[in-house]
Amino acid sequence: MSSIFQTAQNRDIRQLGINPNHWYVVARSDEVTNKPLGVTIWQQAIALYRDSQGQIHALEDRCPHRQVKLSHGQAIADELKCAYHGWRFNSEGKCTTVPYLAANQKLPNCKIRHYPVIEQDGFIWLFPGNVEPSTEPLGLPEWEHLNYIATVAIIKCNAHYSYLIENLMDMYHGHLHQDLQAWAEATLQDIDEDANRVDAHYQAQSYYKIDKIWSISQLFFPALRRLHPEPLDVSYIYPHWVSTLGKDFKIYCLLCPVNEIQTKAYLIHFTSLNAFWRLHKLPIWFRRFVKDSLFGAAQKLLDGLVVQDVQMIEEEQQAYLQNSQTRNYEFNRALVNVQRLMKNQVDNS
């Protein structure tokens, strides 16, 4: 077999839909209040809102009266009220009130779609499929864990989601990021694959070692960094992505594909404090204070990575739109596995 994989950017990939029978992240928890939030997951407009008890609900973002967006309205008690004429809908999508209905008139027999939705680990997870969910959201166990410091960045790119996944799975583009990159000299070791995931195992040289109290300062001062070998594992756990670098860092990318040429995602970076055994003996309130105080510690690094990657991803998309028949010459065999997984998930949905 040749060491070069000649892969075509064919329409099967770059215009591929999604498997809706999975949990996708559509918002952060703090983005959703009693003022509805409009989001889109693969061409489906959805209104998210909190009821009087703080519970999250998700309805089709459309009032059946005049087809305007319900996300322009407001939550009243446990219902969503349209801003245009004041029609109200319960969490099941059934019309409950028309303010100007005459005494001899009945409520319209109309119902909009409601979606299974879960608030978990600081994010809103939504299931857009037409079947009952048979799985749980991927979840972020590090989100509440006191030994992990989190940083969150939002990715918005004008490109098909496949480009983002391939970028995340390909550890050979580290030189693009230079001082922002946490590792260097990645070498692909082997790949594991099943019906729901692809795991690519690299060996890399990490710049960071979080083992002393001042170690966190390496995030801010490049001169303190020293290369040392660490395993680098990246996984496409459909439809999301997870990466671990040694024992110090873990990153999630939670996908929300919008349409064929727009993708939204949340990138969550965790720095581990597991090496600080003395910290673990301190009171819980103090450890929580440390965790909360250091939230966003890697923001500059993460935002810089996103800007650089998005530029490349959007250029790939534009090149495809200009000439979809142009072939790529790909050395990283993990991307072949990733494309196969995307196709199989959609074909079997």
Side-chain angles (χ1 to χ4, degrees):
M1 181 182 293
S2 170
S3 61
I4 300 178
F5 293 92
Q6 297 184 357
T7 59
Q9 289 183 328
N10 58 67
R11 296 183 185 276
D12 289 340
I13 292 296
R14 307 313 176 190
Q15 294 188 7
L16 197 67
I18 64 169
N19 182 345
N21 300 323
H22 289 271
W23 292 92
Y24 293 81
V25 165
V26 291
R28 287 187 61 177
S29 289
D30 57 12
E31 294 181 274
V32 185
T33 65
N34 62 352
K35 176 66 177 73
L37 174 70
V39 298
T40 302
I41 173 72
W42 202 254
Q43 305 172 358
Q44 299 177 65
I46 297 167
L48 304 173
Y49 72 97
R50 289 187 188 274
D51 64 22
S52 59
Q53 303 300 312
Q55 293 296 309
I56 299 285
H57 301 286
L59 294 178
E60 182 181 354
D61 197 1
R62 175 186 66 87
C63 178
H65 176 216
R66 296 287 183 86
Q67 314 307 318
V68 300
K69 289 183 176 296
L70 282 176
S71 56
H72 295 323
Q74 64 182 119
I76 304 294
D78 298 336
E79 300 176 339
L80 194 53
K81 179 181 178 181
C82 180
Y84 200 3
H85 291 86
W87 289 32
R88 288 165 61 166
F89 300 85
N90 64 20
S91 61
E92 300 296 311
K94 182 179 179 181
C95 181
T96 61
T97 304
V98 174
Y100 49 86
L101 201 66
N104 63 342
Q105 291 179 307
K106 295 182 178 180
L107 283 170
N109 185 23
C110 59
K111 187 176 182 180
I112 55 176
R113 184 178 176 187
H114 71 283
Y115 295 81
V117 65
I118 294 176
E119 183 172 14
Q120 177 179 301
D121 302 322
F123 290 87
I124 308 302
W125 303 75
L126 184 138
F127 188 90
N130 290 313
V131 299
E132 281 294 317
S134 59
T135 59
E136 298 294 328
L138 174 67
L140 285 67
E142 298 85 2
W143 186 261
E144 293 294 338
H145 200 295
L146 295 177
N147 288 356
Y148 291 89
I149 300 165
T151 300
V152 180
I154 299 178
I155 300 174
K156 293 182 178 179
C157 57
N158 295 317
H160 188 267
Y161 71 89
S162 62
Y163 288 111
L164 175 57
I165 293 299
E166 290 174 18
N167 169 274
L168 292 166
M169 291 296 293
D170 178 12
M171 298 293 102
Y172 290 146
H173 72 278
H175 64 281
L176 168 68
H177 303 305
Q178 299 181 15
D179 287 344
L180 296 174
Q181 189 65 55
W183 44 262
E185 302 175 20
T187 303
L188 182 62
Q189 303 293 301
D190 58 83
I191 303 170
D192 299 318
E193 179 182 14
D194 64 26
N196 296 303
R197 63 189 291 163
V198 172
D199 300 287
H201 307 288
Y202 294 81
Q203 183 67 36
Q205 295 289 320
S206 175
Y207 284 105
Y208 303 97
K209 195 170 185 65
I210 310 300
D211 60 350
K212 295 181 174 59
I213 197 62
W214 52 265
S215 299
I216 195 70
S217 61
Q218 296 172 65
L219 296 173
F220 313 105
F221 303 107
L224 298 176
R225 304 169 191 168
R226 297 291 183 270
L227 284 172
H228 64 281
E230 291 283 9
L232 173 60
D233 298 316
V234 292
S235 301
Y236 183 30
I237 308 172
Y238 193 93
H240 307 296
W241 176 87
V242 182
S243 171
T244 57
L245 176 62
K247 297 180 179 180
D248 295 329
F249 301 104
K250 190 164 187 176
I251 306 178
Y252 294 82
C253 190
L254 307 178
L255 270 286
C256 179
V258 177
N259 55 41
E260 288 90 344
I261 56 171
Q262 286 184 295
T263 301
K264 179 181 177 182
Y266 290 88
L267 195 64
I268 306 100
H269 178 285
F270 290 103
T271 302
S272 171
L273 301 178
N274 284 316
F276 304 116
W277 60 270
R278 289 187 176 89
L279 179 65
H280 307 162
K281 296 185 177 181
L282 295 174
I284 296 297
W285 69 264
F286 182 78
R287 294 173 63 192
R288 171 62 63 182
F289 172 77
V290 170
K291 178 182 176 73
D292 293 345
S293 298
L294 292 175
F295 182 88
Q299 198 70 59
K300 184 177 179 180
L301 180 149
L302 212 58
D303 288 344
L305 291 171
V306 168
V307 168
Q308 292 173 347
D309 278 333
V310 166
Q311 179 184 358
M312 296 295 105
I313 291 167
E314 291 184 342
E315 286 189 13
E316 288 186 272
Q317 176 69 66
Q318 287 304 308
Y320 169 76
L321 293 175
Q322 291 167 12
N323 187 351
S324 62
Q325 302 306 311
T326 300
R327 301 181 71 180
N328 281 355
Y329 293 84
E330 181 56 62
F331 283 86
N332 190 340
R333 55 193 173 93
L335 302 196
V336 176
N337 299 63
V338 164
Q339 289 190 355
R340 180 165 55 240
L341 176 58
M342 293 177 192
K343 288 183 181 180
N344 290 340
Q345 282 286 333
V346 174
D347 290 344
N348 296 324
S349 63

